[in-house]
Amino acid sequence: MIVLFCILLSLLHDAPEAVQAPLGLPVTVDYDLPPDFSPAPLEEGEGFRVLEQHGDTVVIIPLRTDTISLPPMSGVAGDSQAVFPAPLLVVPRTMPDTSWTLPLFPAPVSMDIPPGLPEDYLENHCFWKQWGGPPAMNLIPVISAAALLAALFLIYFLRRRKSMKASTSMAASAAESPLDEVEALLKSSAFAEGRWPEYYRELEKLLRKTIEERFGISNDALTWAQIRRQLKGNKDGMRFMNDAEELVREIILQRYADWGGSRERARRFTQKLISLRKDWHGK
């Protein structure tokens, strides 16, 4: 009898009206249970989530655009138990329906083809035939520009050749006299302006050139200690290194320790190199 009473009560209880709900936003749904009934917790279903429940009032978030059928809510009053229907949850679309409706294609399609054969009306569209051939190219500016470029290239080539001959003759004249080659350093801008690391670098080049000329050691990457080791078994080589020891020490100090100097000091070591070349260069 109790079960039959519960079924009749749930059938006599009218279903609530549909509830409009925006997609993804909380909405409150009332199940309208009688006052003497205690509601059971509402379980989540497909298409919605339950945020909170206070009695027969539930806060729900719809998750799809559709008419969502919420599950019924059970209620208990003493020994009686009943099931109460839920309102429909209507979630409208976020875009109007017209955006999904395509207009019908107009029919029939107008062809607008003139009568006759295709060649009869295609001739009217061959506008390029009235243009004629392309105009003749004016070669005078092209020839003038080519002649100007050739003249500029010839002038550049002759000047470069002249400068190369001058530098070659200067190098040849400098190579004729090893002593003049060293004395020319005293007329350089590095000596005049006191740029001593640069000046002693040129001094070292000439000293290594003498070693190459006299002893055949031409590797500029060798340190002075390595050069001394290579000349260790050569009696003349060791005598040369002893004579050049003071100059080598000064070159190392000036180039790698920024020792500093003066014109008198640089002139003295330049004379030292001249003396070494007198004794050893080309012997």
Side-chain angles (χ1 to χ4, degrees), residues 162-194:
K162 184 178 179 181
S163 63
M164 290 178 64
K165 285 184 177 180
S167 61
T168 303
S169 62
M170 289 178 61
S173 62
E176 289 177 359
S177 175
L179 303 184
D180 294 341
E181 191 176 19
V182 180
E183 290 178 352
L185 294 178
L186 297 174
K187 300 177 183 179
S188 64
S189 59
F191 178 82
E193 298 174 6

Side-chain angles (χ1 to χ4, degrees), residues 188-250:
S188 64
S189 59
F191 178 82
E193 298 174 6
R195 301 196 302 269
W196 305 125
E198 179 181 344
Y199 182 81
Y200 281 91
R201 182 177 66 242
E202 298 302 321
L203 208 66
E204 182 181 11
K205 286 181 181 179
L206 297 181
L207 180 58
R208 286 177 178 264
K209 188 175 180 181
T210 299
I211 295 175
E212 179 182 357
E213 179 73 18
R214 181 64 179 84
F215 302 105
I217 300 176
S218 59
N219 189 354
D220 293 337
L222 295 177
T223 64
W224 286 104
Q226 291 172 333
I227 293 175
R228 176 178 284 274
R229 282 197 297 269
Q230 288 197 10
L231 295 176
K232 188 174 182 181
N234 190 326
K235 182 178 180 181
D236 291 340
M238 290 304 299
R239 191 155 56 89
F240 172 83
M241 291 303 298
N242 292 334
D243 292 345
E245 183 176 0
E246 185 181 7
L247 177 58
V248 170
R249 180 177 180 275
E250 183 68 14

Side-chain angles (χ1 to χ4, degrees), residues 141-155:
V142 179
I143 296 175
S144 302
L148 180 60
L149 290 176
L152 292 176
F153 178 76
L154 182 61
I155 294 173

Side-chain angles (χ1 to χ4, degrees), residues 106-129:
V109 179
S110 177
M111 301 300 292
D112 296 330
I113 299 177
L117 298 175
E119 57 266 19
D120 296 336
Y121 60 87
L122 185 61
E123 185 69 23
N124 298 328
H125 297 281
C126 298
F127 56 88
W128 57 87
K129 291 184 178 181

Side-chain angles (χ1 to χ4, degrees), residues 28 33 52 54 62 65 70 85 88 138 164 177 208 210 254 275:
T28 302
L33 269 67
E52 56 186 15
H54 300 286
T65 56
L70 298 177
L88 290 176
N138 190 2
M164 290 178 64
S177 175
R208 286 177 178 264
T210 299
Q254 293 292 342
S275 176

Side-chain angles (χ1 to χ4, degrees), residues 5-20:
F5 173 75
C6 294
I7 294 174
L8 291 175
L9 183 62
S10 62
L11 292 175
L12 293 174
H13 188 78
D14 296 334
E17 297 181 356
V19 177
Q20 295 285 334

